[in-house]
Amino acid sequence: MKAKAFEMIDIANRTEKPRDIGLTMVLDKGLGYRAAQDLMEYASEYIDIIKLGWGTHRLCSEEEVRRKIQLYTDNSILVSNGGTLFEIAYLQRKIDEFFEYAHQIGLSSVEISDGSIRISREERSEIIRKCKNMGFEVFTEVGKKDPLEDARLTIDYRIKEAKSDLDAGATKVIVEARESGKGIGVYDKEGKVKEDMVKKLTAGIGLKNIMFEAPEKSQQAYLILNLSPEVNLGNIKPEDVIPLETLRRGLRGDTLGKL
Amino acid sequence: MKAKAFEMIDIANRTEKPRDIGLTMVLDKGLGYRAAQDLMEYASEYIDIIKLGWGTHRLCSEEEVRRKIQLYTDNSILVSNGGTLFEIAYLQRKIDEFFEYAHQIGLSSVEISDGSIRISREERSEIIRKCKNMGFEVFTEVGKKDPLEDARLTIDYRIKEAKSDLDAGATKVIVEARESGKGIGVYDKEGKVKEDMVKKLTAGIGLKNIMFEAPEKSQQAYLILNLSPEVNLGNIKPEDVIPLETLRRGLRGDTLGKL
Amino acid sequence: MKAKAFEMIDIANRTEKPRDIGLTMVLDKGLGYRAAQDLMEYASEYIDIIKLGWGTHRLCSEEEVRRKIQLYTDNSILVSNGGTLFEIAYLQRKIDEFFEYAHQIGLSSVEISDGSIRISREERSEIIRKCKNMGFEVFTEVGKKDPLEDARLTIDYRIKEAKSDLDAGATKVIVEARESGKGIGVYDKEGKVKEDMVKKLTAGIGLKNIMFEAPEKSQQAYLILNLSPEVNLGNIKPEDVIPLETLRRGLRGDTLGKL
């Protein structure tokens, strides 16, 4: 770790990479190589996983994608597919080919979700086990992309699904919030946190095992202040990695003196 | 066309560049050269036109602007002025000089609008014809920058204006939505689509001839699902080009299985 | 100054750098070096100060931060710490060390604030004088990060605080609006301008001496149209520097023909 600027300022400690808690997962929706280099130079220490969002990278040059995955990997960051891409592979009955390719192009991690499709719990567990055997870290997602469908999932259902995934070998279970963070999962239409739901999910699944997608600053600040500075957070925008880390360390007004 | 990542995933076909339908127009409000290079490496195939937004590039170094236009042109992308810059030239009685310079600096396309000024229909048609003769692709815009003024334009008026522009040689007619996409044209104050207005404009002008400015994802998804994956869309942010293309191809939850 | 594109278009003049009025202050929340280079090539003429926002740069590599400060300085831009970082140094009783380091790493300007802490007016003045003696330009900020606390500050209090800071040697007094520009200082919860408050603060402190943080376009346009194109504006996003300058110059629909 290189020397930081303004080191005379004491800041809150954090578990260091590779870590099992306090993970930050970034959403890459087609970041160019130069922007990725900038991100690595400034923020790689604060990023645990980068997700190639939904189907975006299906549209990008293989050579460019391979080169970017390599850059992230060289900076000790896990790289994962977007859940939607897995789901399309599933619909097209090509998951073996899909995981094989994921391995070959350099992904170290996979996301298994059913946001837009249906998979039985048994099959889901089997897929998780298969991916673990292939050497992937496995992140699973609970929740539906469609707000109406998502609203029908009970908290109990979500907890059972999560536990089943963890039993099968998943590293963490992600609570869906999409890129927007509004009207889905633990957020209402304005993006405000449903406090009771967060409490119950965390109690049922375990803080360490859960990752909340939290694209908005108010969501990040709430979860840090009410759960822990080391809550696992996902769908962070590249430009918000350092701002998020300042929240975790008490370097921003929202959490300064409150951690 | 280079090999893409995850090619085992089948995706919806699209007309390829250069194309007459399904155009994507990007708004460049002062993008730097490195960011433009990133954009070209990741997304040039999915961009048909880049508009140098309103008066932004009047403030930029000629050398830098020329270099960026060249980069875009090398990637088979039309480059256009912002309508507002044309309007100011018109107010200053300098449109001949303006178009001459546009040609000389490398623009392949021009935007003619009256969002902040008044021009008679005859003169407007004459300008369109002159630009066609100079070798420009011509895009015209219907709508006013001021929400109150814009609200006074009837649908019939917009259709007549559009037809007159097309008769004079315009390639497409753009429906104004500004950078924000709120409270103007076919969008209400929250940015929601006015469904009836979209239907009538499309019927009156023709899907192929119309380009909807649609800066928000919800707007893009609505127009793709309700009109066509090959609807012409404008004022797309550089970072949203690939996300938009995933909507057009069914690679995102919003349109997956619905196209 | 290099030749600009489209120079046949006449635009409103502005005081040129280095200037005492019409300042634009940009918020850097961890911009990478390539993005900073892009910004300099396109917009350095329109930037007077860059603030390394709140505690962000405490988390960045010293080498990278030093290199970026140098780049900004080479483009005749003042570089300042974020107020929150000063406040943490104050809480940790390390301000001498802090200012010494700021000087050594290349900051030409400092921001003194009490958004999250309490300092007596006497001590605040003393700190301002000390920083002036060290050769820094001093910007002070009036306002609290917490909306409830901020709402308790009267306009009279803010004016007195500002005058005291100016007497002690501050270059400008900044009116706090945070990164969001909502629910704080002169903006209501939706980010709309509190017109009466703006009028009174400007009358009491003097247009030249005040800098309004104004992250939203609607806020910038309001202040430009109602106060002056040469109002001092802060917390501008890097990608909004040129768009803001088009507002100041009448190159955008919002201010075209209205300056």
Side-chain angles (χ1 to χ4, degrees):
Chain A
M1 244 179 16
K2 288 186 198 165
K4 296 289 178 293
F6 298 98
E7 288 202 335
M8 89 288 304
I9 304 279
D10 297 323
I11 57 175
N13 273 326
R14 281 250 284 142
T15 316
E16 277 174 33
K17 278 173 60 177
R19 56 194 155 201
D20 191 35
I21 187 77
L23 304 186
T24 293
M25 182 263 274
V26 170
L27 184 67
D28 174 343
K29 55 180 193 172
L31 208 63
Y33 195 74
R34 291 163 195 80
Q37 287 177 300
D38 270 356
L39 185 64
M40 291 302 98
E41 284 167 12
Y42 266 77
S44 66
E45 257 175 73
Y46 311 116
I47 303 173
D48 299 277
I49 316 153
I50 294 182
K51 172 159 70 174
L52 307 179
W54 65 99
T56 50
H57 286 66
R58 168 65 183 84
L59 299 172
C60 301
S61 139
E62 182 180 58
E63 192 185 326
E64 288 293 340
V65 175
R66 192 184 293 276
R67 170 161 93 121
K68 193 167 64 174
I69 292 173
Q70 188 64 52
L71 174 69
Y72 292 157
T73 304
D74 289 346
N75 281 277
S76 308
I77 294 169
L78 294 175
V79 188
S80 159
N81 64 291
T84 299
L85 203 59
F86 158 75
E87 297 184 34
I88 299 174
Y90 180 88
L91 287 171
Q92 298 183 359
R93 302 176 184 276
K94 290 176 182 166
I95 63 172
D96 287 342
E97 219 176 323
F98 175 78
F99 290 127
E100 196 50 58
Y101 181 84
H103 187 75
Q104 183 250 309
I105 202 177
L107 295 190
S108 43
S109 162
V110 292
E111 182 172 318
I112 308 297
S113 62
D114 59 357
S116 307
I117 61 171
R118 284 165 199 274
I119 309 185
S120 73
R121 195 164 292 164
E122 291 69 36
E123 193 179 1
R124 189 170 160 125
S125 295
E126 197 186 317
I127 294 170
I128 294 168
R129 277 188 295 263
K130 184 186 295 178
C131 290
K132 288 291 289 181
N133 284 336
M134 289 182 74
F136 291 118
E137 292 274 328
V138 179
F139 292 78
T140 62
E141 190 172 60
V142 175
K144 294 290 179 184
K145 300 277 180 199
D146 182 89
L148 290 177
E149 262 196 82
D150 187 71
R152 261 183 248 123
L153 304 183
T154 64
I155 294 180
D156 266 6
Y157 172 86
R158 291 174 203 257
I159 293 174
K160 268 187 202 148
E161 192 88 343
K163 285 188 169 167
S164 160
D165 289 354
L166 293 165
D167 283 346
T171 302
K172 308 280 173 212
V173 175
I174 301 168
V175 182
E176 167 81 85
R178 307 205 64 187
E179 189 195 359
S180 66
K182 283 176 189 162
I184 206 147
V186 299
Y187 308 115
D188 71 13
K189 277 186 185 172
E190 275 76 43
K192 281 203 188 127
V193 174
K194 295 179 181 174
E195 311 200 2
D196 191 53
M197 190 170 172
V198 164
K199 216 176 287 179
K200 285 179 179 161
L201 285 175
T202 309
I205 301 172
L207 180 65
K208 207 186 86 171
N209 299 320
I210 201 168
M211 171 177 279
F212 291 100
E213 292 186 347
E216 298 288 323
K217 187 189 79 161
S218 60
Q219 298 164 349
Q220 298 158 14
Y222 176 90
L223 295 168
I224 286 169
L225 289 172
N226 290 278
L227 297 180
S228 161
E230 300 254 47
V231 62
N232 302 310
L233 296 173
N235 280 16
I236 305 303
K237 293 176 200 127
E239 67 267 30
D240 288 339
V241 172
I242 291 174
L244 165 59
E245 194 68 22
T246 62
L247 291 175
R248 292 189 189 272
R249 307 284 191 133
L251 282 165
R252 190 167 196 179
D254 311 74
T255 60
L256 172 55
K258 296 179 193 167
L259 295 179
Chain B
M1 243 178 17
K2 289 186 199 163
K4 297 289 178 293
F6 298 96
E7 288 201 336
M8 89 288 304
I9 304 280
D10 296 324
I11 57 174
N13 272 327
R14 281 250 284 141
T15 316
E16 276 173 30
K17 279 173 60 175
R19 56 195 155 201
D20 192 34
I21 187 78
L23 304 186
T24 293
M25 181 264 274
V26 170
L27 185 66
D28 174 344
K29 56 180 193 171
L31 207 63
Y33 195 73
R34 291 165 195 79
Q37 286 177 302
D38 269 355
L39 186 65
M40 292 301 98
E41 285 168 10
Y42 265 77
S44 66
E45 258 175 70
Y46 311 116
I47 304 172
D48 300 276
I49 316 152
I50 294 182
K51 172 159 72 173
L52 307 179
W54 64 98
T56 50
H57 286 67
R58 168 66 183 83
L59 299 172
C60 301
S61 140
E62 182 180 58
E63 191 185 326
E64 288 292 340
V65 176
R66 192 183 293 277
R67 172 162 93 120
K68 192 167 65 173
I69 291 173
Q70 188 64 51
L71 174 69
Y72 292 156
T73 304
D74 289 345
N75 281 276
S76 309
I77 293 169
L78 294 174
V79 189
S80 159
N81 65 290
T84 300
L85 202 61
F86 158 76
E87 296 183 35
I88 299 173
Y90 180 88
L91 287 171
Q92 297 183 0
R93 301 175 185 276
K94 289 176 182 167
I95 63 172
D96 287 341
E97 218 175 325
F98 175 77
F99 290 126
E100 196 51 59
Y101 179 85
H103 187 75
Q104 183 251 308
I105 202 177
L107 295 190
S108 44
S109 163
V110 293
E111 181 173 319
I112 308 296
S113 62
D114 60 356
S116 307
I117 62 170
R118 283 164 200 274
I119 308 184
S120 73
R121 195 164 291 163
E122 293 68 34
E123 192 178 2
R124 186 168 162 125
S125 295
E126 198 186 316
I127 294 170
I128 294 167
R129 279 188 294 266
K130 184 186 294 178
C131 289
K132 288 291 289 181
N133 285 336
M134 290 181 74
F136 291 118
E137 292 273 331
V138 179
F139 292 78
T140 62
E141 190 172 60
V142 175
K144 294 290 182 184
K145 300 276 181 203
D146 182 90
L148 290 176
E149 263 196 83
D150 187 71
R152 261 182 246 122
L153 303 184
T154 64
I155 293 179
D156 267 7
Y157 171 87
R158 291 173 203 256
I159 293 174
K160 267 188 200 147
E161 192 88 344
K163 286 189 168 167
S164 160
D165 288 355
L166 293 165
D167 284 347
T171 302
K172 307 282 174 212
V173 175
I174 300 168
V175 182
E176 167 81 85
R178 306 205 65 188
E179 189 196 358
S180 67
K182 285 178 187 160
I184 207 148
V186 298
Y187 308 115
D188 70 14
K189 277 186 187 174
E190 276 77 42
K192 281 205 189 126
V193 174
K194 295 178 180 175
E195 310 201 3
D196 191 56
M197 190 170 172
V198 163
K199 218 178 283 179
K200 285 179 179 160
L201 285 175
T202 308
I205 301 171
L207 179 65
K208 207 187 84 170
N209 300 319
I210 202 168
M211 171 177 280
F212 291 100
E213 292 186 346
E216 299 288 324
K217 188 190 78 161
S218 60
Q219 299 165 350
Q220 299 158 13
Y222 176 90
L223 295 167
I224 286 169
L225 289 172
N226 289 279
L227 298 179
S228 162
E230 299 255 45
V231 61
N232 302 308
L233 296 173
N235 280 16
I236 305 303
K237 293 175 200 128
E239 66 268 29
D240 287 338
V241 172
I242 291 174
L244 165 59
E245 194 68 21
T246 61
L247 290 175
R248 292 188 189 272
R249 307 285 190 131
L251 282 166
R252 190 167 196 179
D254 311 74
T255 60
L256 172 57
K258 298 179 191 166
L259 297 180
Chain C
M1 243 179 17
K2 289 185 197 165
K4 295 291 179 292
F6 298 97
E7 287 202 335
M8 89 289 303
I9 304 279
D10 297 323
I11 57 174
N13 273 327
R14 281 250 284 143
T15 316
E16 276 172 33
K17 279 172 60 176
R19 55 195 156 201
D20 191 34
I21 187 80
L23 304 186
T24 292
M25 181 265 273
V26 170
L27 185 66
D28 174 344
K29 55 179 192 171
L31 208 63
Y33 195 74
R34 292 164 195 79
Q37 286 176 302
D38 269 356
L39 185 66
M40 292 302 98
E41 284 167 12
Y42 265 77
S44 66
E45 259 175 68
Y46 311 116
I47 303 172
D48 300 276
I49 316 153
I50 293 182
K51 172 161 69 175
L52 308 179
W54 65 99
T56 50
H57 286 67
R58 168 66 183 83
L59 298 172
C60 301
S61 137
E62 181 180 58
E63 192 185 327
E64 288 293 339
V65 175
R66 192 184 293 278
R67 171 161 94 121
K68 192 166 66 172
I69 291 173
Q70 188 64 51
L71 174 69
Y72 292 156
T73 304
D74 289 346
N75 281 276
S76 308
I77 293 169
L78 294 175
V79 188
S80 159
N81 64 291
T84 300
L85 203 59
F86 158 76
E87 296 183 35
I88 299 173
Y90 181 88
L91 287 171
Q92 297 183 359
R93 303 178 184 275
K94 291 176 181 167
I95 63 172
D96 286 342
E97 219 176 323
F98 175 77
F99 290 127
E100 195 50 59
Y101 180 85
H103 187 75
Q104 183 251 309
I105 202 176
L107 295 191
S108 43
S109 164
V110 292
E111 182 172 317
I112 307 297
S113 61
D114 59 357
S116 308
I117 61 171
R118 284 165 200 274
I119 309 185
S120 74
R121 194 164 291 165
E122 293 67 36
E123 193 179 1
R124 187 169 161 125
S125 295
E126 197 186 316
I127 295 170
I128 295 168
R129 278 189 294 265
K130 184 187 294 180
C131 290
K132 289 292 289 182
N133 284 337
M134 288 181 75
F136 290 118
E137 292 274 330
V138 179
F139 293 78
T140 62
E141 190 171 60
V142 175
K144 293 291 181 184
K145 299 277 180 200
D146 182 88
L148 292 176
E149 263 196 82
D150 187 71
R152 261 182 248 124
L153 304 183
T154 65
I155 294 180
D156 266 9
Y157 172 86
R158 290 173 203 257
I159 293 174
K160 267 188 201 148
E161 192 87 343
K163 286 189 168 166
S164 160
D165 289 353
L166 293 165
D167 283 347
T171 302
K172 308 281 175 213
V173 175
I174 300 168
V175 182
E176 167 82 86
R178 307 205 62 188
E179 189 195 359
S180 67
K182 284 175 189 163
I184 206 148
V186 298
Y187 307 115
D188 71 14
K189 276 185 188 175
E190 275 77 44
K192 281 205 188 126
V193 174
K194 295 179 181 175
E195 310 200 3
D196 190 55
M197 189 170 171
V198 163
K199 217 178 284 177
K200 284 179 179 160
L201 284 175
T202 308
I205 301 171
L207 180 65
K208 208 187 84 170
N209 300 321
I210 201 167
M211 171 177 280
F212 290 100
E213 292 186 345
E216 298 287 323
K217 187 189 80 162
S218 60
Q219 298 165 351
Q220 297 158 15
Y222 177 90
L223 295 167
I224 286 169
L225 289 172
N226 289 279
L227 298 179
S228 161
E230 299 254 45
V231 60
N232 303 308
L233 297 173
N235 280 16
I236 305 303
K237 293 175 201 128
E239 66 267 30
D240 287 339
V241 171
I242 291 175
L244 165 59
E245 194 68 22
T246 63
L247 290 175
R248 292 188 189 273
R249 306 286 190 131
L251 282 166
R252 191 167 195 181
D254 312 74
T255 60
L256 172 56
K258 296 178 193 167
L259 296 179

